[in-house]
Amino acid sequence: MPPEQEPKGIDAVVSGRTWDEFCDSLKRAGRQVLRDEAPATELDRAEGWRYLTRLLRIGLEMHLEFADPDFPGFFAPSHETGKIGADNPDNLYLMARIAGRNAYVIRGRRGTVPYLSFGTQKGGYETDGRMEQTGFLDARDLRCEPDGSFEIHLSQHPQPGNWLRIEDASNAVIVRQTFLDRRSETAAQMSIARAGDALLRPQPLDAERLARGLTRAAGFVEGTATLFANWAQSYLPNVNALPAADQALCQRVGGDPNIHYYHSAWDVQPDQMLVIRLPRIPDCRFWNLQINNWWMESLDYRHHRIHHNQHSATPDGDGGVTLVLAHRDPGHGNWLETAGHTRGTMCLRWVGAQEHVDPVLDLRAFTTEPLR
């Protein structure tokens, strides 16, 4: 809902009208689960309703609990049980709400995670359906002390040292940390605070802030569900193929500028398997391929192998990589599990690649025989 339509005033909160409108917005979001093209199996419908509850949890963190840009804090906008738009299973995401009128400092320690980036953004899925970048800092350019500590200054005007640009409309900073192997790598640790004279403490919650937070959280649920349901529908002409995505569109909704994305849909029955061949691996900082449900949530990577990267995948003899999506183990080292689904979406990323190698997909009858 656009900000000018947000409910205001004490009476709306005291009378309960704000809560009623919040609940009505959540009810509207349910239409996305019932769309004609969406799978209607028990599993897909159950995951669809759960997806809305997950979006609500994220939305409440984003727009109510961590919404004050004068007292920002990092929270996770995607994680193991809260997922948005083909969330990367190899990523640790952090987000903080900011305002362009302020300046901020991020303080932290670099850790050993191979890929780390910081981006400021404007817009939102709850308003215009966009999250456009207003500044970007790659950890390759991050100046750290010998002990790994760092400071990053966020402001509209350049600062000495590590500087991350914001503008009047900037309202969020997004941090992406990408692991090759979570068991052996150390994540960066960081905090964010407003720069300059520190305010003592936030004001008590008032009716306007509560109404604004609930309205935006509900709008986030409906807007996010609608956006990615539209994306999933757009993949239907290319089921079991994986063409390059519209990169400009990916950037408009918050994509990392170092990433070249491929998105599509898959449909694999229990007696079939989808062979995904990467003919060669280009010189790049990172790559992975992941399997999602219809709602563009990564499948449960805590309990199923639903993605591979250059660390986990076994290469072919010619330097390429072959992955197999199937309901049961085909005896191939790079098995991707359907985790009980017959339809869903998928995503391939080349990060910092000098060239973008298109994958080749082939739907076949299931077999445990060696691939040819």
Side-chain angles (χ1 to χ4, degrees):
M1 182 181 295
E4 63 271 12
Q5 297 180 25
E6 294 172 358
K8 297 181 184 295
I10 297 173
D11 180 66
V13 171
V14 173
S15 69
R17 190 169 72 252
T18 294
W19 183 260
D20 289 344
E21 293 172 355
F22 170 70
C23 293
D24 288 342
S25 293
L26 294 179
K27 186 175 181 179
R28 287 196 304 271
R31 298 172 186 169
Q32 303 307 316
V33 177
L34 301 174
R35 289 168 62 140
D36 290 342
E37 75 278 4
T41 67
E42 177 186 357
L43 174 59
D44 289 298
R45 281 286 164 84
E47 287 189 340
W49 302 124
R50 184 183 65 181
Y51 171 52
L52 298 183
T53 71
R54 291 173 163 184
L55 292 180
L56 179 57
R57 282 192 284 129
I58 296 168
L60 290 171
E61 294 267 274
M62 186 181 298
H63 295 294
L64 191 61
E65 302 295 351
F66 288 88
D68 189 343
D70 291 333
F71 295 89
F74 282 117
F75 64 95
S78 285
H79 46 82
E80 294 92 338
T81 61
K83 301 162 182 263
I84 299 174
D87 59 292
N88 186 344
D90 288 317
N91 269 11
L92 173 62
Y93 295 93
L94 294 174
M95 182 180 194
R97 305 301 296 188
I98 62 174
R101 67 177 183 272
N102 295 335
Y104 301 90
V105 179
I106 295 174
R107 296 182 174 90
R109 194 170 297 273
R110 174 65 178 83
T112 65
V113 66
Y115 182 79
L116 172 64
S117 69
F118 304 82
T120 59
Q121 297 179 333
K122 63 182 178 182
Y125 298 160
E126 71 283 354
T127 53
D128 59 6
R130 297 185 175 192
M131 292 179 64
E132 296 182 275
Q133 190 172 110
T134 59
F136 186 77
L137 177 62
D138 189 318
R140 279 186 167 179
D141 303 316
L142 184 68
R143 303 177 192 174
C144 297
E145 298 299 322
D147 64 356
S149 62
F150 63 84
E151 286 191 356
I152 303 172
H153 294 270
L154 287 69
S155 64
Q156 295 196 30
H157 304 291
Q159 302 291 322
N162 299 311
W163 174 60
L164 182 57
R165 179 183 178 272
I166 61 176
E167 60 184 50
D168 286 341
S170 298
N171 60 19
V173 56
I174 305 290
V175 182
R176 287 179 173 86
Q177 303 192 55
T178 305
F179 297 82
L180 289 175
D181 181 3
R182 287 181 185 265
R183 296 170 297 181
S184 63
E185 295 158 357
T186 303
Q189 303 296 315
M190 67 196 75
S191 62
I192 184 171
R194 184 177 172 182
D197 295 333
L199 303 178
L200 293 178
R201 62 188 68 181
Q203 293 296 312
L205 183 66
D206 59 31
E208 184 172 347
R209 284 169 53 202
L210 184 280
R212 181 169 60 247
L214 288 181
T215 300
R216 290 183 175 178
F220 173 83
V221 174
E222 186 173 12
T224 305
T226 302
L227 174 66
F228 292 111
N230 289 343
W231 278 34
Q233 182 183 33
S234 76
Y235 302 152
L236 288 175
N238 294 299
V239 172
N240 294 334
L242 192 50
D246 180 338
Q247 303 303 310
L249 176 60
C250 292
Q251 295 304 310
R252 287 198 298 272
V253 299
D256 187 313
N258 284 327
I259 301 178
H260 191 82
Y261 297 91
Y262 293 72
H263 286 288
S264 193
W266 58 272
D267 186 330
V268 178
Q269 299 304 308
D271 61 348
Q272 297 175 319
M273 64 184 192
L274 184 62
V275 178
I276 306 169
R277 167 77 173 158
L278 305 177
R280 67 182 186 282
I281 304 302
D283 182 18
C284 63
R285 297 167 66 179
F286 173 85
W287 71 265
N288 76 354
L289 190 145
Q290 70 182 74
I291 303 303
N292 314 309
N293 63 14
W294 183 259
W295 317 112
M296 296 192 67
E297 297 179 294
S298 65
L299 298 186
D300 188 356
Y301 51 84
R302 298 171 300 174
H303 302 113
H304 300 277
R305 168 56 74 179
I306 61 90
H307 73 294
H308 277 290
N309 61 32
Q310 65 256 48
H311 175 78
S312 65
T314 301
D316 300 331
D318 61 2
V321 171
T322 302
L323 307 104
V324 179
L325 175 61
H327 291 260
R328 58 191 188 276
D329 189 354
H332 190 285
N334 297 328
W335 178 33
L336 296 166
E337 301 181 43
T338 63
H341 299 77
T342 56
R343 293 176 64 192
T345 59
M346 54 186 163
C347 175
L348 166 68
R349 298 172 179 85
W350 299 120
V351 183
Q354 299 303 307
E355 60 174 329
H356 306 124
V357 178
D358 296 340
V360 179
L361 281 68
D362 181 21
L363 183 67
R364 306 181 186 179
F366 180 84
T367 180
T368 57
E369 296 297 320
L371 298 176
R372 298 180 183 276

